[in-house]
Amino acid sequence: MASDSFDVIIAGAGPAGSTLAAYLAKEKVRVLLLDKAHFPRDKTCGDAIGGRCLKIIGELGLMDAFEFVPREEYDKIYFVSPNGSNVVIDIPQNPSVPVPSFCCRREVFDNVLFQNAKSQPYVTTIENFTVTDIIKDEKGFVVGVKGMNGNSKQPQEFRAKVVAGADGATSTVASKLGQLNLDPNHHCISVRGYYSGITGMNKGIEIYFIDQVIPGYFWIFPLEDGKANVGVGMLTKEIRSKNIDLKKRMFDAIKTRPEFIERFKNAKLISEVKGWTLPFGSKKMKLAGDGYVLLGDAASLIDPFSGEGIGNGMFSAKHAAPIILEALKSNDFSESQLSKYQDDLWNQGLGAEIKMSYFLQRIGKFKRLANFFIGKAQRSPYVRETISGMLVNADAKKKMMSPTFYLKLLFS
Ligand SMILES: Cc1cc2nc3c(=O)[nH]c(=O)nc-3n(C[C@H](O)[C@H](O)[C@H](O)COP(=O)(O)OP(=O)(O)OC[C@H]3O[C@@H](n4cnc5c(N)ncnc54)[C@H](O)[C@@H]3O)c2cc1C
């Protein structure tokens, strides 16, 4: 059994893990980045890359790397309510973001982030390495990981001053810490498939609150060459209590909803329909402890309304990096040092945003409220502008949390 030592071990090289590796490498931190998969690898997702991701991609100097990869830009969101009323919300170009939002298959998107991390001089990567356990010292500090190296077919362990769990929704690191708690009230299951030949695609992402999937939504997101990512997601609690077959619901909506029948008439399903889980940020987890931090889905950070988790995962990496750096400089890997990351993350806007999204998710559960909200947005430029601003601007997000907004919503 070989043993090596690093400053930081990152378990999982998805958007959260690869982003953390890139930020730490800028500061010459010696990182070991482990992933059980070999890149490029697929990840079941809606593939919508929002403004928060783009800002970080810009900071990491990766805009050029995305310029020529297959992707489709979008500049608006269509919301459709259970009673069929709909509203189009423009996504204004955020001045601090270099390009418009886009959809990009995760096989492509994650590979760009991973190859960037791999190319950094201070980052060692091992693909096909499955982390199976954490190592603790006599004081209970996490000091390393154990795993199976799929290349050598040998068990192997590595040690570091900090271990970052970025190994996704079924995180082994979080599980071994006793923190993987998939609460069905704060957790969703989604399925998605790739289609070609859907008509009426128009540089927008489309979200339908329809009977088949409430509480949840049906989506059509545009991809390169006229392809689309089509999927549905619902709260796990609902799926379990009603024994719902999500794939069936998706196909049923496509076959029976008047808004889809014509558009899917000549469409072809060009992939398997795959499902995966989304741990929502409305369930607040402990994100750091003695010797460790958790990021992205492993930290349950997905937006409970939109299901967006890529940007939140990358954002968590951006906020963990300076705290880890501070820990390395002060040689303090205690919970009191590393948990500053959690405080920063929640105070830098994510906490308020997740709170608001949880509120919107609950509105979406009630058909009448969803009809009312989308109907109002359809009629009121004030509501549309507020939602539109909310998509790019932290102050506008705060505005949506204020009682004044809801009073105006009622009386506008
Ligand atoms: C159907 C669906 C649709 C979604 N749509 C969107 C969307 O459109 N936009 C959006 O922003 N978000 C979306 N999400 C959420 C998004 O996919 C996740 O939030 C995002 O992938 C989180 O990134 P991550 O780096 O934390 O985890 P992941 O992307 O899951 O990466 C984790 C990595 O860890 C590796 N790993 C796992 N276990 C181990 C182990 N034991 N040892 C070593 N490596 C391991 C995996 O191979 C993987 O590479 C969707 C999710 C689903 C399920």
Side-chain angles (χ1 to χ4, degrees):
M1 237 193 235
S3 179
D4 276 305
S5 190
F6 293 85
D7 291 326
V8 179
I9 293 171
I10 304 172
S18 288
T19 301
L20 180 64
Y23 274 113
L24 290 176
K26 277 185 173 195
E27 303 295 337
K28 304 190 175 164
V29 173
R30 288 175 314 124
V31 170
L32 175 63
L33 180 61
L34 303 168
D35 203 289
K36 68 178 180 186
H38 187 274
F39 285 78
R41 59 102 180 90
D42 188 20
K43 156 76 177 80
T44 304
C45 188
D47 303 327
I49 311 298
R52 179 164 276 149
C53 304
L54 300 178
K55 208 167 168 187
I56 292 176
I57 287 168
E59 278 178 22
L60 294 177
L62 285 175
M63 259 355 278
D64 288 351
F66 280 102
E67 181 137 8
F68 299 108
V69 301
R71 64 190 173 95
E72 186 71 9
E73 290 180 1
Y74 62 87
D75 57 14
K76 50 187 149 327
I77 306 185
Y78 297 89
F79 288 105
V80 180
S81 72
N83 68 5
S85 56
N86 61 74
V87 64
V88 183
I89 306 286
D90 291 321
I91 306 174
Q93 175 77 48
N94 185 336
S96 64
V97 166
V99 288
S101 302
F102 58 82
C103 292
C104 178
R105 284 176 294 107
R106 293 287 299 277
E107 188 182 356
V108 175
F109 182 80
D110 289 18
N111 192 42
V112 172
L113 296 183
F114 174 73
Q115 297 305 336
N116 170 62
K118 188 176 175 179
S119 70
Q120 305 299 320
Y122 289 86
V123 178
T124 304
T125 56
I126 309 181
E127 295 166 77
N128 300 320
F129 187 99
T130 304
V131 172
T132 53
D133 207 349
I134 51 173
I135 303 170
K136 286 188 176 179
D137 70 5
E138 63 288 351
K139 290 192 214 126
F141 278 59
V142 178
V143 291
V145 297
K146 295 180 184 176
M148 178 56 75
N149 189 325
N151 307 307
S152 63
K153 310 267 184 284
Q154 292 296 317
Q156 211 171 353
E157 53 183 69
F158 296 100
R159 286 173 188 261
K161 292 162 187 154
V162 178
V163 170
D167 46 346
T170 55
S171 169
T172 300
V173 175
S175 161
K176 295 294 173 183
L177 287 162
Q179 286 181 222
L180 195 69
N181 176 7
L182 299 179
D183 179 339
N185 285 305
H186 298 276
H187 188 261
C188 149
I189 299 178
S190 289
V191 298
R192 71 97 171 98
Y194 292 123
Y195 277 81
S196 66
I198 303 172
T199 53
M201 303 295 296
N202 189 17
K203 273 180 81 85
I205 67 175
E206 304 174 40
I207 292 180
Y208 297 83
F209 299 97
I210 52 177
D211 283 342
Q212 279 88 347
V213 288
I214 278 196
Y217 66 77
F218 178 106
W219 73 79
I220 304 177
F221 293 170
L223 285 170
E224 77 278 5
D225 303 328
K227 289 186 278 224
N229 179 317
V230 177
V232 296
M234 279 182 96
L235 262 190
T236 305
K237 186 179 171 213
E238 193 73 9
I239 293 176
R240 283 197 192 147
S241 67
K242 298 193 176 141
N243 205 11
I244 288 169
D245 179 339
L246 266 189
K247 277 190 205 178
K248 200 164 164 289
R249 292 270 169 123
M250 182 175 117
F251 291 132
D252 179 52
I254 290 170
K255 276 193 210 126
T256 60
R257 302 279 313 182
E259 62 270 58
F260 299 143
I261 293 173
E262 190 56 32
R263 291 183 64 193
F264 279 80
K265 205 165 86 187
N266 296 314
K268 242 194 212 148
L269 179 64
I270 52 173
S271 74
E272 216 186 308
V273 177
K274 288 188 189 170
W276 193 240
T277 60
L278 294 89
F280 287 152
S282 46
K283 179 85 188 176
K284 209 168 165 189
M285 267 176 74
K286 179 178 161 185
L287 304 192
D290 292 335
Y292 75 89
V293 294
L294 296 172
L295 312 170
D297 282 11
S300 193
L301 289 179
I302 295 183
D303 185 291
F305 176 63
S306 66
E308 231 183 305
I310 308 168
N312 289 0
M314 293 171 78
F315 194 63
S316 66
K318 175 185 156 121
H319 283 278
I323 303 299
I324 293 174
L325 193 65
E326 209 178 276
L328 290 167
K329 282 187 181 151
S330 60
N331 209 28
D332 176 2
F333 308 107
S334 65
E335 178 168 333
S336 67
Q337 163 61 27
L338 292 173
S339 62
K340 288 184 199 164
Y341 145 63
Q342 177 152 11
D343 300 338
D344 274 10
L345 187 66
W346 288 99
N347 297 336
Q348 292 300 317
L350 200 63
E353 193 178 310
I354 283 177
K355 204 167 145 196
M356 187 197 71
S357 289
Y358 185 46
F359 169 76
L360 289 175
Q361 184 215 76
R362 280 174 294 163
I363 287 184
K365 265 188 213 177
F366 302 104
K367 280 203 265 180
R368 279 193 185 172
L369 269 177
N371 287 335
F372 169 77
F373 200 75
I374 290 176
K376 273 284 173 183
Q378 190 184 38
R379 291 188 297 278
S380 160
Y382 169 76
V383 176
R384 283 200 301 280
E385 275 159 27
T386 306
I387 299 174
S388 169
M390 178 199 101
L391 297 167
V392 292
N393 174 324
D395 288 337
K397 282 180 184 144
K398 281 188 203 140
K399 187 159 130 193
M400 260 197 95
M401 284 303 287
S402 84
T404 331
F405 173 74
Y406 293 98
L407 282 174
K408 284 196 182 170
L409 182 68
L410 280 173
F411 296 112
S412 61

